[in-house]
Amino acid sequence: MLSNSLGLQANAKNLININTLDDLSLLEKLGDEEILILGAGTNVILGDYFNGTVIAVHLKGIEIRDDCISVGAGVDWADLIEYCLINKLYGIENLTHIPGSVGAAPVQNIGAYGVEISSFIDSVECFNLTKKKLETLNNHQCQFKYRESIFKLKDFVILKINFVFDKSFSPNLSYPSLNKFLNDHSIDVTSLTPRMLSDSVKNIRNSKLPDPKIEPNVGSIFKNPIVRSQDLDNEFLAGHRWDQVDGYTKLSSARLIELIEPELKIPDTLRLYENHSLVLINNGEASFDEVISVLNQIKSKIFKKFKIKLEIEPEIISS
Ligand SMILES: Cc1cc2nc3c(=O)[nH]c(=O)nc-3n(C[C@H](O)[C@H](O)[C@H](O)COP(=O)(O)OP(=O)(O)OC[C@H]3O[C@@H](n4cnc5c(N)ncnc54)[C@H](O)[C@@H]3O)c2cc1C
């Protein structure tokens, strides 16, 4: 069984575990079979059977190397957050409580509350599956964008990530809901500590997002669409849109879904989370086909009504 936070039943033909760098010899022998690199499975929607080889990287360890902190892909993201808090390394407090492994973090350039991990990545050490050799990609070569990077091409097995964190604490409080939380809880920003910021983010997330261990889910099912501001009516999605640079606006997918939610036909095995319509929950025994059908319904209804194309955020593995 392949572990995945949506709780879908999934198996694969072959599995390669990378526990040490010596295990990379197994990757050198790979032929032209289908490959799936799997971390903790919190951002994938898996079909019943993967007719190929799954690669799971378990490299652990966090070490200081010159100005960088070098972290194994198999380290739990939560452990890296805690390591940074303890060791006075600053900048990623806003990314607290994102589930998954460190190795997957660059793949979709994880982001939350106004911070993206690409701002702290110096380089990524990986195994190039096409060239069958080790490579180190610098930040520029990773081609980071909103929820995007070169790693989505699937040519690279990420082994280690070299981070450069801030040495002084300069919190990013630009995100409205974070700002509101601090105000509502009378937290004075001048005396805010990294731990307080991290705990605040955790509290906000716990109030909005279901714990996948209790309510199986993959977090946000769609990216927030970014559209040309001139194509939008000024009042459209007021309070649920954010101006970007160069005349673009980011729209809340959650709000768009709320507007068409009554029209959706969702099977009993699934539901949209009551506190956040961007989260699809497996009530038990949902199938891959049911999940895909709900996602397609949402996409087509939103396109029909608003002419806005939603893009699914988790990766769909159908083979
Ligand atoms: C409740 C919940 C909340 C979430 N909130 C956020 C959020 O706020 N922001 C956000 O950005 N994401 C969020 N996510 C999505 C998810 O947590 C992140 O994308 C996370 O980085 C996925 O880690 P993973 O180890 O589970 O990766 P997986 O789901 O196993 O894999 C995700 C992708 O990364 C690839 N991959 C994994 N490991 C490697 C590797 N070593 N080398 C190369 N490719 C690899 C996989 O092939 C796949 O394409 C959330 C998910 C959940 C369930």
Side-chain angles (χ1 to χ4, degrees), residues 5 36-44 57 73 97-101 103-105 107-112 147 151 154 156-159 205 209-210 212 217-220 313 315:
S5 66
L36 165 64
I37 311 163
L38 196 59
T42 66
N43 208 26
V44 285
V57 183
H97 221 41
I98 296 181
S101 60
V107 178
Q108 73 153 359
N109 182 18
I110 58 167
R147 298 294 183 271
F151 304 110
K154 302 178 171 309
F156 303 95
V157 180
I158 296 172
L159 305 169
R205 294 183 70 99
L209 295 169
N217 75 87
V218 274
S220 305
E313 183 172 310
E315 188 182 347

Side-chain angles (χ1 to χ4, degrees), residues 31-308:
D32 56 4
E33 62 262 56
E34 288 282 310
I35 299 290
L36 165 64
I37 311 163
L38 196 59
T42 66
N43 208 26
V44 285
I45 299 176
L46 300 177
D48 311 345
Y49 183 69
F50 183 72
N51 190 17
T53 299
V54 171
I55 301 171
V57 183
H58 304 288
L59 298 174
K60 302 280 184 193
I62 303 181
E63 38 174 320
I64 301 171
R65 256 199 233 162
D66 304 323
D67 276 345
C68 289
I69 307 294
S70 177
V71 188
V75 171
D76 201 68
W77 180 254
D79 292 343
L80 177 60
I81 294 280
E82 191 54 33
Y83 177 91
C84 289
L85 289 171
I86 291 171
N87 290 282
K88 299 189 168 48
L89 300 164
Y90 307 117
I92 57 167
E93 302 81 12
N94 296 32
L95 305 182
T96 299
H97 221 41
I98 296 181
S101 60
V102 167
V107 178
Q108 73 153 359
N109 182 18
I110 58 167
Y113 302 99
V115 172
E116 287 185 341
I117 195 54
S118 53
S119 308
F120 302 93
I121 293 179
D122 173 77
S123 56
V124 179
E125 295 176 36
C126 25
F127 184 87
N128 184 319
L129 286 166
T130 311
K131 297 181 188 161
K132 299 265 184 336
K133 62 171 195 158
L134 287 168
E135 271 183 8
T136 299
L137 272 60
N138 66 29
N139 183 296
H140 177 70
Q141 290 169 317
C142 294
Q143 298 177 20
F144 290 120
K145 281 189 262 170
Y146 170 64
R147 298 294 183 271
E148 283 295 337
S149 74
I150 194 168
F151 304 110
K152 290 227 167 159
L153 294 179
K154 302 178 171 309
D155 264 349
F156 303 95
V157 180
I158 296 172
L159 305 169
K160 279 187 187 173
I161 300 168
N162 301 314
F163 294 98
V164 177
F165 297 112
D166 295 341
K167 298 218 166 62
S168 63
F169 180 52
S170 165
N172 180 335
L173 308 177
S174 60
Y175 211 77
S177 59
L178 179 55
N179 222 299
K180 183 173 181 311
F181 179 91
L182 298 175
N183 271 330
D184 290 353
H185 291 78
S186 309
I187 298 173
D188 173 13
V189 293
T190 57
S191 53
L192 186 73
T193 64
R195 175 73 67 183
M196 281 159 73
L197 176 55
S198 171
D199 286 347
S200 300
V201 169
K202 197 187 250 179
N203 282 329
I204 302 173
R205 294 183 70 99
N206 280 338
S207 69
K208 275 199 196 159
L209 295 169
D211 179 349
K213 292 194 185 92
I214 301 166
E215 306 253 43
N217 75 87
V218 274
S220 305
I221 45 176
F222 293 103
K223 298 180 188 180
N224 287 323
I226 299 175
V227 297
R228 285 195 317 182
S229 312
Q230 68 183 47
D231 296 341
L232 294 172
D233 184 290
N234 280 345
E235 289 307 306
F236 182 67
L237 248 52
H240 302 271
R241 53 189 272 174
W242 306 276
D243 287 340
Q244 308 289 290
V245 284
D246 299 339
Y248 282 84
T249 299
K250 193 190 269 185
L251 302 173
S252 160
S253 292
R255 182 65 190 144
L256 289 167
I257 295 173
E258 278 164 20
L259 297 174
I260 53 101
E261 206 173 332
E263 300 166 33
L264 295 172
K265 290 194 177 66
I266 300 183
D268 293 344
T269 50
L270 291 165
R271 75 179 201 279
L272 292 172
Y273 187 51
E274 300 71 22
N275 297 346
H276 198 357
S277 56
L278 201 46
V279 179
L280 185 67
I281 295 186
N282 181 354
N283 290 328
E285 314 220 338
S287 70
F288 173 80
D289 289 347
E290 285 174 327
V291 172
I292 300 304
S293 144
V294 170
L295 296 182
N296 286 338
Q297 255 191 78
I298 295 174
K299 271 178 81 168
S300 72
K301 290 206 186 293
I302 287 178
F303 186 72
K304 202 165 160 201
K305 198 156 189 168
F306 307 112
K307 297 285 169 288
I308 291 171

